């Protein structure tokens, strides 16, 4: 009888051991490793695509800065050409006046000689021959010399004036030709830069497609990792349930064996009437003793393991989004609020209106709304207001980037919270980005 009990216990242990091992699925670990590896590769590909696109954006921004500077130079050259053209017109008028004065002096001299001839004098010679003495002769010679000298000086002076005006006019004409040549060169440079910028459009489309594909692949790989982790969690839960059931069944078997051993030592003759002893637990196997035989009944339903209900202590404030940064003053807050109204406006070379802005045109337009006048280009704006350090930046301060020696090539507006608003480059729109994302920081100015 003892052997039978031992056999029953061993059989139950074997069954439980087999059922427990049946839950093991080693291939899930391999699936998880493969999924995690795929996810890491997808993330690496996404990061590489984003890095390439960031480099391309920097290149486009640099081209836009050059175009903006070239356009500013072209405007300056045009202004010089217009001024030179006006100076040429003025000198042309002066030259005409000088020529008229020379002609008037020449006409006066001719009229004097004509009058002398009409009066019967043969010019200066007749006047000298009519002298009434040596003293009169000397006086007439002196007068004639003075008249001739005056005429000569007047005509020479007018001729010099005429030549001077002509030289100025010629000089202005030469200067105009040089300016026109510079203007043509500047326009050609702008056109070449525009072609270089347009050549970047296919790369922009390609890199955006690469980023989209890498993002999709990364998302799918992450989902696969989550699926495998879910399977592993389910397996662990099943194993825990099986182990709990096995422990309960082992307890039942031990109790049954103990009861059978106790009953076996009593004399069979003095055995009490058939009785059934049942444990208090619904999951405990009933053991009955009848005519000295021990019968163990094992329930067919496995016990439900106790579930430990743990409540995660969460901080309610941790799930709340961080408050938006507040601005230092009502004035700066108004400037920032007004600037943010233009988010989404496209970047346009030379743009100074809500139909399209370049970087300096954007900040100039915003401040003009509040009666603050600043210069047109980023290079000139770098001299407006007062300088401030990066650590002392306040909302509304202008921040500058990419100083190539001739002045900053890009400008934006600090809005607080470590962010700026700016018109970045062609193909983009007015947007907000972290200041830390920008390259080539070279200073800030406070203009309000």
């Amino acid at each position: 009888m003892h052997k039978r009990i031992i056999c029953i216990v061993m059989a139950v242990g074997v069954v439980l051991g087999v059922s427990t091992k049946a839950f093991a699925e080693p291939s899930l670990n391999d699936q998880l490793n493969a999924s995690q590896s795929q996810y890491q590769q997808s993330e690496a590909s996404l990061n590489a695509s984003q890095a390439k696109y960031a480099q391309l954006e920097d290149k486009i921004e640099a081209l836009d800065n050059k175009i903006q500077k070239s356009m500013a130079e072209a405007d300056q050259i045009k202004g010089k050409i217009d001024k030179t053209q006006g100076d040429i017109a003025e000198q042309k008028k002066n030259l005409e006046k000088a020529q008229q004065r020379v002609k008037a002096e020449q006409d006066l001299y001719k009229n004097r000689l004509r009058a002398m001839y009409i009066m019967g004098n043969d010019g200066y010679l007749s006047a000298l021959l009519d002298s009434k003495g040596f003293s009169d002769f000397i006086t007439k010679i002196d007068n004639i010399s003075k008249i001739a000298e005056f005429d000569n000086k007047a005509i020479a002076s007018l001729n010099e004036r005429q030549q001077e005006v002509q030289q100025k006019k010629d000089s202005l004409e030469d200067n105009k030709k040089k300016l026109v040549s510079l203007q043509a060169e500047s326009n050609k440079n702008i056109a070449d830069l525009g072609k270089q910028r347009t050549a970047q459009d296919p790369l922009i489309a390609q890199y955006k497609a690469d980023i989209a594909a890498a993002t999709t692949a990364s998302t799918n790989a992450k989902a696969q990792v989550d699926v495998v982790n879910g399977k592993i969690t389910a397996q662990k839960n099943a194993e825990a349930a099986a182990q709990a059931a096995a422990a309960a069944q082992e307890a039942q078997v031990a109790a049954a064996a103990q009861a059978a051993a106790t009953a076996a030592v009593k004399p069979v003759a003095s055995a009490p009437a058939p009785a059934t002893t049942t444990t208090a637990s619904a999951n405990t196997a009933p053991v009955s003793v009848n005519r000295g035989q021990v019968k163990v009944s094992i329930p067919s339903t496995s016990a439900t393991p106790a579930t430990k209900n743990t409540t995660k202590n969460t901080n309610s404030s941790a799930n709340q989004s961080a408050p938006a940064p507040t601005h230092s003053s009502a004035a700066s807050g108004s400037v920032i609020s007004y600037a943010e109204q233009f988010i989404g406006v496209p970047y346009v070379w030379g743009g100074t209106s809500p139909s399209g802005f370049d970087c300096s045109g954007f900040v100039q337009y915003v401040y003009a709304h509040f009666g603050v006048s600043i210069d047109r280009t980023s290079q000139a704006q770098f001299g407006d207001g007062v300088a401030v350090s990066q650590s002392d930046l306040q909302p509304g301060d202008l921040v500058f980037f990419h100083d190539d020696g001739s002045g900053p090539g890009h400008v934006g507006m600090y809005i607080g919270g470590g962010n700026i608003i700016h018109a970045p480059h062609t193909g983009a729109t007015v947007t907000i980005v972290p200041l830390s994302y920008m390259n080539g920081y070279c200073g800030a100015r406070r203009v309000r």
Side-chain angles (χ1 to χ4, degrees):
M1 181 173 61
H2 294 292
K3 292 181 179 179
R4 187 172 181 179
I5 294 173
I6 294 172
C7 289
I8 292 172
V9 174
M10 291 179 65
V12 172
V14 169
V15 171
L16 293 177
V18 171
S19 62
T20 301
K21 291 181 179 178
F23 287 103
E25 193 175 340
S27 63
L28 284 179
N29 288 330
D30 295 337
Q31 292 179 27
L32 179 61
N33 292 334
S35 299
Q36 288 177 335
S37 177
Q38 183 64 37
Y39 176 61
Q40 291 172 356
Q41 292 176 7
S42 300
E43 281 290 286
S45 177
L46 175 60
N47 292 336
S49 297
Q50 290 174 335
K52 287 181 180 179
Y53 186 72
Q55 291 176 353
L56 181 62
E57 280 194 317
D58 289 342
K59 183 177 181 180
I60 291 173
E61 187 172 316
L63 286 172
D64 286 337
N65 292 339
K66 290 181 180 179
I67 292 172
Q68 184 177 336
K69 285 185 178 181
S70 296
M71 293 180 70
E73 291 173 357
D75 289 341
Q76 292 177 356
I77 292 173
K78 184 179 181 301
K80 290 180 180 179
I81 290 175
D82 293 340
K83 183 178 182 304
T84 301
Q85 187 64 41
D87 292 341
I88 290 174
E90 183 67 22
Q91 292 302 322
K92 186 177 180 181
K93 291 179 181 178
N94 292 336
L95 180 60
E96 290 175 353
K97 290 180 181 179
Q99 289 173 340
Q100 290 173 359
R101 291 182 63 184
V102 169
K103 185 176 182 300
E105 188 65 27
Q106 289 174 342
D107 290 342
L108 180 62
Y109 179 73
K110 291 177 181 178
N111 290 335
R112 189 185 306 116
L113 292 179
R114 186 181 297 110
M116 292 175 64
Y117 176 77
I118 291 172
M119 292 174 64
N121 296 326
D122 293 332
Y124 294 134
L125 179 60
S126 296
L128 291 174
L129 293 175
D130 290 340
S131 299
K132 297 180 179 181
F134 183 75
S135 176
D136 185 32
F137 180 77
I138 295 300
T139 301
K140 287 183 177 181
I141 288 177
D142 184 56
N143 290 336
I144 291 172
S145 298
K146 289 180 178 180
I147 292 172
E149 183 180 0
F150 175 79
D151 289 338
N152 291 335
K153 285 183 177 180
I155 294 174
S157 176
L158 291 173
N159 285 333
E160 288 177 0
R161 175 61 179 162
Q162 181 179 347
Q163 291 177 359
E164 180 182 347
V165 173
Q166 184 64 49
Q167 288 174 354
K168 287 184 178 180
K169 180 175 176 294
D170 292 342
S171 176
L172 289 171
E173 291 284 1
D174 291 340
N175 191 28
K176 179 185 175 181
K177 289 179 181 179
K178 292 178 181 178
L179 289 172
V180 170
S181 176
L182 286 174
Q183 185 181 45
E185 183 179 348
S186 179
N187 290 336
K188 181 178 181 301
N189 185 39
I190 292 173
D192 291 342
L193 290 171
K195 291 179 180 179
Q196 294 179 40
R197 168 60 188 86
T198 302
Q200 308 305 313
D201 289 340
L203 288 177
I204 292 176
Q206 177 186 337
Y207 287 168
K208 284 185 176 180
D210 291 345
I211 289 174
T215 300
T216 300
S218 179
T219 301
N220 292 339
K222 181 63 168 60
Q224 184 60 32
V225 170
D226 292 340
V227 168
V228 177
N229 278 328
K231 289 182 179 180
I232 292 175
T233 300
Q235 175 182 302
K236 289 180 178 180
N237 290 339
E239 289 178 353
Q243 290 173 358
Q249 289 175 346
E250 288 176 358
Q252 292 174 9
V253 170
Q258 181 65 34
T262 301
V265 298
K266 294 180 180 180
V268 175
S270 62
T276 301
T277 303
T278 305
T279 60
S281 172
N283 292 327
T284 303
V287 180
S288 61
V289 180
N290 189 12
R291 294 184 179 87
Q293 294 181 352
V294 179
K295 184 177 180 181
V296 179
S297 177
I298 301 176
S300 60
T301 57
S302 56
T304 301
T307 301
K308 184 178 181 180
N309 183 18
T310 59
T311 302
K312 186 176 182 180
N313 183 18
T314 59
N315 187 347
S316 61
S317 64
N319 294 324
Q320 299 177 356
S321 59
T326 57
H327 304 307
S328 60
S329 68
S332 64
S334 300
V335 172
I336 301 307
S337 298
Y338 184 70
E340 290 176 346
Q341 294 180 17
F342 302 106
I343 291 176
V345 172
Y347 180 100
V348 175
W349 291 326
T352 57
S353 72
S355 61
F357 290 114
D358 63 17
C359 62
S360 55
F362 170 59
V363 296
Q364 184 191 45
Y365 186 87
V366 170
Y367 267 113
H369 179 75
F370 296 92
V372 179
S373 177
I374 60 176
D375 284 305
R376 171 63 187 87
T377 66
S378 58
Q379 296 95 331
Q381 289 171 358
F382 198 51
D384 292 335
V386 295
V388 292
S389 65
Q390 188 171 356
S391 60
D392 292 332
L393 284 176
Q394 295 180 7
D397 290 343
L398 301 184
V399 285
F400 296 85
F401 309 88
H402 307 302
D403 188 349
D404 61 359
S406 62
H410 188 66
V411 62
M413 182 184 295
Y414 186 71
I415 64 171
N419 298 318
I420 70 167
I421 185 170
H422 69 148
H425 54 74
T426 51
T429 60
V430 174
T431 187
I432 294 175
V433 297
L435 177 60
S436 59
Y437 282 13
M438 302 295 294
N439 296 323
Y441 179 86
C442 60
R445 309 288 294 187
R446 186 164 298 152
V447 296
R448 53 186 170 79

